[in-house]
């Protein structure tokens, strides 16, 4: 009996060819693992296909619930947006898939796992770093990275090995999707100057085709976790699905981004992420009501670090947990309701309230009932101004006198001829 490998199997051409390739080249018994993170594919068909290709067993796992609970919602609480714009759908899914691969490998007594990532992307990094943290004893095989076949050669290989190649016209795009969003790359998108053609979008209507009438929705949040849409109490999965639908209908959540990949290149990425965009907006607006200014400033820094960790594949790291401890501490007070208006491609927060709000009407108002102590401002300004006044008195002529900084003192000219001359 040969050695066993568990392959993360999507049912597509790459991973189907990988089944045969692992059997042939490594003489291994292949077990497939297909995971549902909320993509629209028919998983029973994927399983059948794997079995027809002679795998030892084909596992299918619906991991949507843990995906939302342990990955999506924590990332929402953290405010994690890579480079400020990408809600990290694919990046959040990878560590979960890696964890399930490791678990199935243990159950099956497999000594290796395999994935269908190329050598140019982020996903190989995320899978393999996660596996190193969770199951360092496992061997990892990356067939697509190893075999060096072109698309045509792959199709030839598929025909030669009885692998069905779907006769659909081949899309020039590479896509990935789960509950938290959809990504599209390659084809004409590789020219960052080209507007993405309408055909790349599947979830979100162009603003021109959205309803004229705006839609106002209310999102209820408790301790940073959304749980209510208008008057419906919804489980995470349903809430996200419904927001994806509503956002898509109103043209909200298209993202066009030139992104810095882990492997050192820039790439142009299109995303569709209506629910993620709406929930991040709502969550942040609520934080604006309940968190102190310093906490918000600091949390922004944490959010950017956190997003990098997720993007770079370091989910299973101590640093992640350290940051999460801070995030969870802040979320104890993030409870309330946010109202968002969806209209012709835009989503605008138009209302927010919370029982723990630090916004106090009597302090904020300019009307009667104003409880703010105006007189106290005088002393406050005096002390705030004290260091500035001192500085101005002593250094003002240097700091503010009319002069230009000459940077030649810190930007040396070409030094090589200078050094040569010295040696003469
Ligand atoms: N650029 C995104 C990321 O790194 C999306 C990657 C999509 N993956 C794919 N295999 N098409 O998270």
């Amino acid at each position: 009996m040969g050695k066993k490998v568990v392959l993360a199997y999507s049912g597509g051409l790459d991973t189907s060819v990988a089944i045969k390739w692992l059997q042939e080249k490594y003489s291994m018994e292949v077990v497939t693992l297909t995971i549902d993170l909320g993509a629209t594919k028919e998983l029973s068909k994927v399983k059948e296909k794997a079995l027809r290709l002679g795998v030892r067993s084909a596992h299918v796992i619906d991991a949507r619930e843990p995906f939302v609970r342990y990955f999506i919602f924590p990332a929402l609480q953290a405010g994690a947006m890579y480079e400020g714009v990408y809600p990290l759908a694919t990046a959040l899914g990878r560590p979960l898939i890696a964890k399930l691969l490791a678990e199935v490998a243990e159950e099956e007594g497999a000594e290796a796992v395999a994935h269908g990532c190329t050598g140019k992307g982020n996903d190989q990094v995320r899978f393999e770093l996660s596996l190193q943290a969770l199951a360092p004893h496992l061997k990892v095989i990356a067939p697509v990275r190893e075999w060096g076949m072109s698309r045509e050669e792959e199709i030839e290989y598929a025909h030669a090995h009885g692998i069905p190649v779907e006769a659909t016209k081949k899309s020039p795009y590479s896509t990935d999707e789960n509950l938290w969003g959809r990504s599209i790359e390659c084809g004409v998108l590789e020219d960052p100057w080209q507007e993405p053609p309408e055909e790349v979008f599947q979830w979100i209507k162009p603003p021109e085709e959205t309803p004229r009438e705006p839609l106002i929705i209310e999102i209820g949040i408790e301790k940073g976790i959304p749980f209510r849409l208008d008057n419906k109490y919804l489980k995470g999965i349903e809430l996200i699905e419904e927001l994806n639908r509503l956002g898509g209908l109103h043209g909200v959540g298209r993202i066009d981004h030139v992104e810095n990949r882990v492997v050192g290149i820039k790439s142009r990425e299109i995303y569709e992420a209506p629910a993620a965009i709406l929930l991040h907006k709502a969550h942040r607006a609520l934080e604006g009501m309940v968190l102190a200014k310093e906490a918000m400033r600091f949390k922004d820094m944490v959010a950017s670090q956190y997003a990098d960790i997720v993007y770079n594949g370091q989910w299973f790291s101590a640093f992640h947990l350290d940051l999460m401890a801070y995030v969870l501490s802040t979320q104890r007070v993030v409870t309330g309701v946010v109202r968002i208006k969806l209209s012709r491609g835009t989503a605008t927060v138009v209302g927010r309230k919370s029982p723990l709000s630090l916004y106090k009407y009597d302090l904020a108002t300019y009307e009667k009932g104003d409880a703010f102590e105006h007189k106290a401002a005088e002393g406050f300004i005096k002390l705030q101004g004290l260091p500035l006044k001192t500085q101005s008195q002593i250094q003002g002529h240097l700091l503010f006198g009319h002069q230009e900084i000459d940077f030649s003192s810190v930007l040396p000219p070409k030094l090589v001829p200078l050094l040569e001359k010295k040696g003469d």
Side-chain angles (χ1 to χ4, degrees):
M1 182 161 296
K3 293 172 172 167
K4 253 191 214 171
V5 55
V6 182
L7 168 69
Y9 184 59
S10 69
L13 180 65
D14 282 346
T15 49
S16 296
V17 168
I19 291 178
K20 288 289 168 193
W21 192 83
L22 285 165
Q23 290 165 339
E24 220 169 46
K25 164 131 197 257
Y26 281 86
S27 315
M28 290 179 113
E29 278 193 324
V30 180
V31 169
T32 55
L33 171 60
T34 303
I35 296 168
D36 183 4
L37 295 181
T40 42
K41 263 189 218 109
E42 281 196 57
L43 297 182
S44 57
K45 289 218 178 109
V46 176
K47 180 176 178 145
E48 264 168 45
K49 185 167 176 184
L51 290 172
R52 273 205 309 277
L53 293 174
V55 302
R56 165 94 196 204
S57 59
H59 298 255
V60 174
I61 298 178
D62 177 356
R64 289 173 305 158
E65 214 272 318
F67 184 41
V68 172
R69 170 151 172 206
Y70 298 105
F71 294 84
I72 291 179
F73 281 172
L76 173 66
Q77 290 178 304
M81 285 278 201
Y82 185 62
E83 299 186 332
V85 297
Y86 165 40
L88 293 159
T90 298
L92 286 163
R94 298 314 185 186
L96 174 53
I97 296 173
K99 182 172 156 59
L100 292 168
L101 273 176
E103 286 174 9
V104 171
E106 178 170 321
E107 203 181 292
E108 288 272 357
E111 65 162 39
V113 295
H115 61 72
C117 303
T118 69
K120 211 171 173 176
N122 298 317
D123 292 323
Q124 51 170 351
V125 179
R126 295 167 183 152
F127 276 139
E128 293 184 37
L129 295 192
S130 298
L131 287 163
Q132 280 177 36
L134 293 175
H137 55 279
L138 284 175
K139 180 181 158 76
V140 181
I141 309 173
V144 180
R145 196 169 65 198
E146 268 181 41
W147 67 39
M149 283 190 268
S150 68
R151 180 101 188 160
E152 287 67 34
E153 288 166 335
E154 244 187 271
I155 290 173
E156 220 169 89
Y157 186 101
H159 285 316
H161 291 78
I163 301 167
V165 178
E166 267 96 64
T168 52
K169 68 173 164 47
K170 92 172 190 344
S171 158
Y173 307 109
S174 163
T175 63
D176 184 60
E177 69 180 75
N178 62 42
L179 273 174
W180 205 226
R182 176 169 183 271
S183 81
I184 312 103
E185 47 195 68
C186 303
V188 288
L189 300 173
E190 285 175 358
D191 178 355
W193 179 244
Q194 287 296 320
E195 183 178 355
E198 209 37 56
E199 64 181 11
V200 309
F201 299 101
Q202 285 186 8
W203 289 11
I204 305 175
K205 286 234 162 92
E208 311 82 71
E209 289 172 26
T210 56
R212 252 163 211 286
E213 271 298 297
L215 174 73
I216 293 191
I217 58 171
E218 251 183 51
I219 298 173
I221 295 175
E222 191 179 350
K223 298 197 165 103
I225 307 282
F227 68 97
R228 180 166 67 76
L229 175 60
D230 298 324
N231 47 21
K232 283 180 299 223
Y233 291 79
L234 295 174
K235 285 221 183 99
I237 298 172
E238 285 87 52
L239 181 74
I240 292 169
E241 281 175 347
E242 183 60 3
L243 288 175
N244 275 333
R245 192 183 70 76
L246 291 174
L249 189 66
H250 286 269
V252 169
R254 290 184 174 191
I255 298 157
D256 181 342
H257 182 215
V258 172
E259 178 172 297
N260 291 292
R261 280 199 192 168
V262 187
V263 293
I265 57 177
K266 289 186 187 291
S267 77
R268 202 277 188 93
E269 313 269 335
I270 302 300
Y271 298 106
E272 298 185 273
I277 294 298
L278 289 167
L279 287 172
H280 271 292
K281 272 198 189 210
H283 181 259
R284 187 56 179 171
L286 184 55
E287 286 189 335
M289 295 287 275
V290 297
L291 294 184
K293 172 174 155 183
E294 297 74 18
M296 294 183 72
R297 300 289 183 277
F298 190 72
K299 193 162 180 288
D300 279 344
M301 293 195 279
V302 170
S304 126
Q305 288 287 325
Y306 184 102
D308 280 355
I309 284 179
V310 174
Y311 190 86
N312 295 340
Q314 290 163 335
W315 184 267
F316 297 107
S317 67
F319 189 37
H320 171 208
L321 299 178
D322 296 343
L323 294 182
M324 204 57 212
Y326 176 75
V327 169
L328 290 174
S329 176
T330 62
Q331 298 302 291
R332 290 174 297 176
V333 296
V334 184
T335 294
V337 187
V338 177
R339 199 182 263 162
I340 300 182
K341 184 191 249 180
L342 317 188
S343 176
R344 317 233 74 170
T346 66
T348 315
V349 172
V350 293
R352 58 300 254 166
K353 63 180 179 184
S354 164
L356 297 168
S357 175
L358 302 176
Y359 177 95
K360 284 190 80 186
Y361 177 82
D362 57 353
L363 289 179
T365 186
Y366 286 89
E367 317 275 311
K368 72 171 178 316
D370 181 2
F372 185 84
E373 217 180 303
H374 290 247
K375 270 250 171 305
E378 239 173 73
F380 169 78
I381 293 167
K382 220 177 233 171
L383 293 190
Q384 283 282 308
L386 186 59
L388 293 175
K389 193 165 161 184
T390 309
Q391 192 173 56
S392 175
Q393 282 166 346
I394 297 169
Q395 303 173 345
H397 60 292
L398 286 175
L399 296 174
F400 311 125
H402 186 78
Q403 55 188 308
E404 271 172 49
I405 293 180
D406 177 2
F407 283 110
S408 62
S409 61
V410 290
L411 294 176
K414 257 199 183 144
L415 293 180
V416 176
L418 214 87
L419 295 176
E420 274 169 4
K421 232 178 246 159
K422 223 181 145 196
D424 282 346

